[in-house]
Amino acid sequence: MIASLLNAIRTPDSHAGRRLWIVVATLILLTLVAAVLDTLPDLPDWAVGALRAFEVFVVVCFTAEYFLRIIAAERKTSYIFSFFGLVDLLAILPFYLGLAFDLRGLRGLRLLRLFTVLKLSRYREAVDRLSRAIRSIRAELTVFGFLALLVLYLCGICIYYLEHPVQPDQFRSALDGFWFALTTLTTVGYGDLYPVTALGRLFVGVIMVVGLGIVAVPTALIASALTRRPSGPQE
Amino acid sequence: MIASLLNAIRTPDSHAGRRLWIVVATLILLTLVAAVLDTLPDLPDWAVGALRAFEVFVVVCFTAEYFLRIIAAERKTSYIFSFFGLVDLLAILPFYLGLAFDLRGLRGLRLLRLFTVLKLSRYREAVDRLSRAIRSIRAELTVFGFLALLVLYLCGICIYYLEHPVQPDQFRSALDGFWFALTTLTTVGYGDLYPVTALGRLFVGVIMVVGLGIVAVPTALIASALTRRPSGPQE
Amino acid sequence: MIASLLNAIRTPDSHAGRRLWIVVATLILLTLVAAVLDTLPDLPDWAVGALRAFEVFVVVCFTAEYFLRIIAAERKTSYIFSFFGLVDLLAILPFYLGLAFDLRGLRGLRLLRLFTVLKLSRYREAVDRLSRAIRSIRAELTVFGFLALLVLYLCGICIYYLEHPVQPDQFRSALDGFWFALTTLTTVGYGDLYPVTALGRLFVGVIMVVGLGIVAVPTALIASALTRRPSGPQE
Amino acid sequence: MIASLLNAIRTPDSHAGRRLWIVVATLILLTLVAAVLDTLPDLPDWAVGALRAFEVFVVVCFTAEYFLRIIAAERKTSYIFSFFGLVDLLAILPFYLGLAFDLRGLRGLRLLRLFTVLKLSRYREAVDRLSRAIRSIRAELTVFGFLALLVLYLCGICIYYLEHPVQPDQFRSALDGFWFALTTLTTVGYGDLYPVTALGRLFVGVIMVVGLGIVAVPTALIASALTRRPSGPQE
């Protein structure tokens, strides 16, 4: 049975390899669901116990898989220190170090394994097209990000100086100003902070219009990049 | 009269067929208005009575239409089990099962009938263009949706662990985290939940910028798909 | 002096015509500022008096202009019943009917006169390009608006039935549901209303993703229409 | 040493010039961090002292740099009255005028110096492409901005008259209406102000749909301009 598992690991495109991938992916999805259930308040004891048992079961499975992958790998060290090798290790290690509870967030790393689905040829092409389009406007996006950071900084500092005297408990420092600037420039606008002074509102009004640009320009850049270089192989 | 109605049902493009469509559509629109009036609080008794009477009238009309459609259909069973056949049945059945009150939401199904307006040639072409453009970027949208789901999951879990200790009543479980992540990534930002810790705000700041991408990339994808394949028949 | 004014009215492109336009536009802008000042609470008496005097002055000016335009027009009735003729009349009539206070909102009509700036050739071309692009996707926008209305209706009704039992004071009727649906689908999200039930949040989560589409698709449609038909005279 | 500094200033593209740029940029970034730390409440005395000392140090550095730049400049007055010359002066002058505390906001001007990074050839091209695309739709953007201002004005005045009678403390004057209109049209939606009357909500609903256009049209304009004129030198 171990031999056939090793075989499945070595040939991810084979029938056995795909079946293994589906088993692993299902385990990961169950793990993600368990991580959510874990956060529910007032869980009955049996549920906590079941979640613990499931976690032990999953860790055992992934530990077995980890060692099988090391055995299956031709160059052991290159797997161990590869991106997915480290992800696999970090996702099980805390459990053995008795840190399972405090570092259980690391279990979330397992979902990175799901990214291997993007290696399917159909999606790989789509990823390629998207990333090629975005690479072609790297310089524009960098300039734009630089300007956006400057606007964010200026807006955060200014709104602090404009609103702090009137709302000292809301705008306690420039950090609150930055948080406000971010929620405004991205047009999220929670409403936990907002200007109340006439000058503050005037200033934020200008910043909002800039925020429209911060939404509009990258959208436009990506759209034009995708339109100009639509096809994969011709290039 | 039944013969002419059957005729109108059988030939939806004829003058009689169109007139029937207009009558049915008007009834549906009145039904939609009645459904809204139904929710108004403190309705006087006469209004409740009138709404009940109207509902009975409409159900009788649609029941008659349902049977006429079965009679008019050449292949009875294929109509009964067709999408619009099931919609027609579900929209009237609750009334006869004495469930009219509890399942009156199913009346909403009637508005699906309005979609038949999209079969008009002028609009059918527009729908075709739009759906062809969206189909041509199916793989990209799938990859993008997959990434968005992963970001949503990670963001929901992380914000729960970051904010739960400080706001246990706001972020009660990871489900609240997911709700917050959704309102942020879509840039809606109701403000019922928001981070108050420095780390939480820093994290959400990063997520907001990702949220901009989640608004920008599909817009850009659809725009470029529409630009590249603008014309209908040539393809 | 009246003769030269008549001349200026008759030849809007001449030097005198432009100067008249600037005088009228300045008066309108002052009127708009006065309308804002009018709403300020606790105005001192002298300011209220000054605003009243200014309003009388403006009405006299626009009345004079109105009669001059009738005199200047070759075909009197075609001016009186033209769009701008009616606008001019409606903007001064309430004052003479002693309704100045209650209908002072009609003064806002004066700003429609500012639209004549769009007749300048440079901007007329831009307006033409934009409106031609939007006309070319009229069918798509109609279909899209139709779908958006259906989604809005369904969302408003559903959220009412999902949230009314828990928040009867927030979601009093389906009208509140429609208001909530609008703020969500446009991604504005004031936060005056939001779902608190698990089912309501799940439902709104789906609606938010639809809302992204409602922002993305028209943007994409206009972008592609502008890209495909960039030039004016060739068509 | 002064000679080599002068040399570095005169030849910004040389090795020495770049090293000087990095030193200056690092100083500016530290200054920006210090400006944020400055706003933190309840700073211990030693931290306030350290920030003061750092500010003195930075001002001395920038003063030295300012005089070196004057010395290095061939035409002294053209540097002094150039944009960056005035920025350099305004960023240090308040300190010497004993206004350091009240005008410390002017220190923020230093970050304008960071914009010189955009002169790097790679980014200059990207800036050129972006600004050329935006210039090519100047007329459209002007028309659009004009319409947006009119909508903003009308919306602000109308919402004031619709909501003031019911919420006199929220909508105190048309200025509050303008603020509300801005947060709505940009889809930020803090939720500090929102309509509660049926008529107000209906009106704002229409305005929200217009707001979608205000987000969509400039995005679409920029996207189409970038798509149509993607290349730099050919033009």
Side-chain angles (χ1 to χ4, degrees), chain C:
Chain C
M1 186 208 162
I2 286 174
S4 69
L5 273 173
L6 285 177
N7 216 31
I9 288 171
R10 280 193 192 112
T11 56
D13 285 327
S14 70
H15 192 69
R18 280 194 194 167
R19 215 187 280 169
L20 181 70
W21 191 88
I22 288 169
V23 169
V24 170
T26 309
L27 260 185
I28 293 171
L29 288 176
L30 286 174
T31 260
L32 296 183
V33 172
V36 175
L37 294 177
D38 231 19
T39 69
L40 292 177
D42 307 325
L43 274 186
D45 282 348
W46 63 263
V48 174
L51 285 171
R52 285 298 291 163
F54 176 71
E55 179 59 19
V56 172
F57 168 69
V58 170
V59 168
V60 168
C61 285
F62 283 127
T63 308
E65 192 217 3
Y66 181 64
F67 284 110
L68 282 173
R69 280 191 187 276
I70 293 181
I71 294 167
E74 279 183 47
R75 303 175 54 205
K76 316 292 186 212
T77 51
S78 83
Y79 165 70
I80 292 172
F81 294 106
S82 72
F83 177 70
F84 282 117
L86 291 172
V87 162
D88 287 356
L89 187 61
L90 276 173
I92 54 173
L93 208 59
F95 184 85
Y96 293 107
L97 298 178
L99 299 162
F101 191 79
D102 293 322
L103 290 180
R104 56 187 172 179
L106 283 174
R107 292 179 307 183
L109 283 173
R110 283 172 203 156
L111 69 77
L112 292 177
R113 286 283 298 280
L114 293 175
F115 277 92
T116 52
V117 78
L118 297 180
K119 289 183 181 168
L120 289 178
S121 68
R122 189 170 18 147
Y123 298 123
R124 196 168 41 204
E125 272 174 38
V127 171
D128 276 4
R129 269 198 296 276
L130 256 175
S131 63
R132 209 155 354 101
I134 287 169
R135 256 204 312 278
S136 76
I137 49 170
R138 210 173 20 198
E140 273 94 344
L141 286 179
T142 308
V143 166
F144 183 79
F146 175 77
L147 291 179
L149 271 180
L150 285 189
V151 169
L152 188 70
Y153 181 86
L154 270 181
C155 175
I157 289 274
C158 288
I159 201 69
Y160 166 76
Y161 280 111
L162 287 169
E163 294 292 323
H164 176 71
V166 182
Q167 309 185 74
D169 291 338
Q170 271 74 47
F171 290 89
R172 289 160 302 178
S173 74
L175 296 177
D176 289 324
F178 293 148
W179 169 247
F180 168 77
L182 250 176
T183 62
T184 299
L185 287 169
T186 56
T187 81
V188 172
Y190 293 118
D192 52 343
L193 296 178
Y194 48 84
V196 296
T197 65
L199 217 59
R201 286 180 169 186
L202 192 68
F203 175 73
V204 174
V206 175
I207 290 297
M208 277 177 187
V209 176
V210 175
L212 283 192
I214 283 179
V215 174
V217 171
T219 310
L221 279 169
I222 301 172
S224 75
L226 283 167
T227 307
R228 275 181 286 130
R229 9 192 109 208
S231 53
Q234 293 93 306
E235 254 177 309

Side-chain angles (χ1 to χ4, degrees), chain B residues 63-133:
Chain B
T63 308
E65 193 217 3
Y66 182 63
F67 285 110
L68 282 172
R69 280 191 186 275
I70 293 181
I71 295 167
E74 278 184 47
R75 302 175 53 206
K76 315 294 186 211
T77 51
S78 81
Y79 165 70
I80 291 172
F81 294 106
S82 72
F83 177 70
F84 282 117
L86 291 172
V87 161
D88 287 356
L89 185 61
L90 276 173
I92 54 172
L93 208 59
F95 185 85
Y96 293 108
L97 297 179
L99 299 162
F101 191 78
D102 294 321
L103 291 179
R104 57 187 172 179
L106 284 175
R107 292 180 308 185
L109 283 172
R110 281 172 203 153
L111 71 77
L112 292 178
R113 287 284 298 281
L114 292 175
F115 277 92
T116 52
V117 79
L118 297 181
K119 289 183 181 169
L120 289 178
S121 68
R122 191 171 16 149
Y123 299 124
R124 197 168 42 203
E125 272 173 38
V127 171
D128 276 4
R129 269 197 296 275
L130 256 176
S131 63
R132 210 156 352 102

Side-chain angles (χ1 to χ4, degrees), chain B residues 5-227:
Chain B
L5 272 173
L6 286 177
N7 216 32
I9 288 171
R10 280 194 191 110
T11 55
D13 285 328
S14 70
H15 193 69
R18 281 196 192 166
R19 215 188 279 169
L20 181 69
W21 190 88
I22 288 169
V23 169
V24 170
T26 309
L27 260 186
I28 292 172
L29 288 175
L30 286 175
T31 260
L32 296 182
V33 172
V36 174
L37 294 176
D38 231 20
T39 69
L40 292 176
D42 307 325
L43 275 186
D45 282 349
W46 63 264
V48 174
L51 285 172
R52 285 299 289 165
F54 176 71
E55 179 61 17
V56 172
F57 167 69
V58 169
V59 168
V60 168
C61 286
F62 282 127
T63 308
E65 193 217 3
Y66 182 63
F67 285 110
L68 282 172
R69 280 191 186 275
I70 293 181
I71 295 167
E74 278 184 47
R75 302 175 53 206
K76 315 294 186 211
T77 51
S78 81
Y79 165 70
I80 291 172
F81 294 106
S82 72
F83 177 70
F84 282 117
L86 291 172
V87 161
D88 287 356
L89 185 61
L90 276 173
I92 54 172
L93 208 59
F95 185 85
Y96 293 108
L97 297 179
L99 299 162
F101 191 78
D102 294 321
L103 291 179
R104 57 187 172 179
L106 284 175
R107 292 180 308 185
L109 283 172
R110 281 172 203 153
L111 71 77
L112 292 178
R113 287 284 298 281
L114 292 175
F115 277 92
T116 52
V117 79
L118 297 181
K119 289 183 181 169
L120 289 178
S121 68
R122 191 171 16 149
Y123 299 124
R124 197 168 42 203
E125 272 173 38
V127 171
D128 276 4
R129 269 197 296 275
L130 256 176
S131 63
R132 210 156 352 102
I134 287 170
R135 258 205 310 279
S136 76
I137 49 169
R138 211 172 22 196
E140 273 93 344
L141 286 178
T142 308
V143 166
F144 183 78
F146 176 77
L147 292 178
L149 271 181
L150 286 189
V151 168
L152 188 70
Y153 181 86
L154 272 180
C155 176
I157 290 275
C158 289
I159 201 67
Y160 166 75
Y161 280 111
L162 287 168
E163 294 292 323
H164 176 71
V166 182
Q167 310 186 72
D169 291 338
Q170 272 73 49
F171 290 89
R172 289 160 301 177
S173 73
L175 297 177
D176 288 325
F178 293 147
W179 170 248
F180 170 77
L182 250 176
T183 62
T184 300
L185 287 169
T186 55
T187 78
V188 172
Y190 293 119
D192 51 343
L193 296 178
Y194 48 83
V196 296
T197 66
L199 217 60
R201 285 180 170 186
L202 193 68
F203 175 73
V204 173
V206 175
I207 290 297
M208 275 176 189
V209 177
V210 175
L212 283 192
I214 283 180
V215 174
V217 172
T219 309
L221 280 169
I222 301 172
S224 74
L226 283 167
T227 307

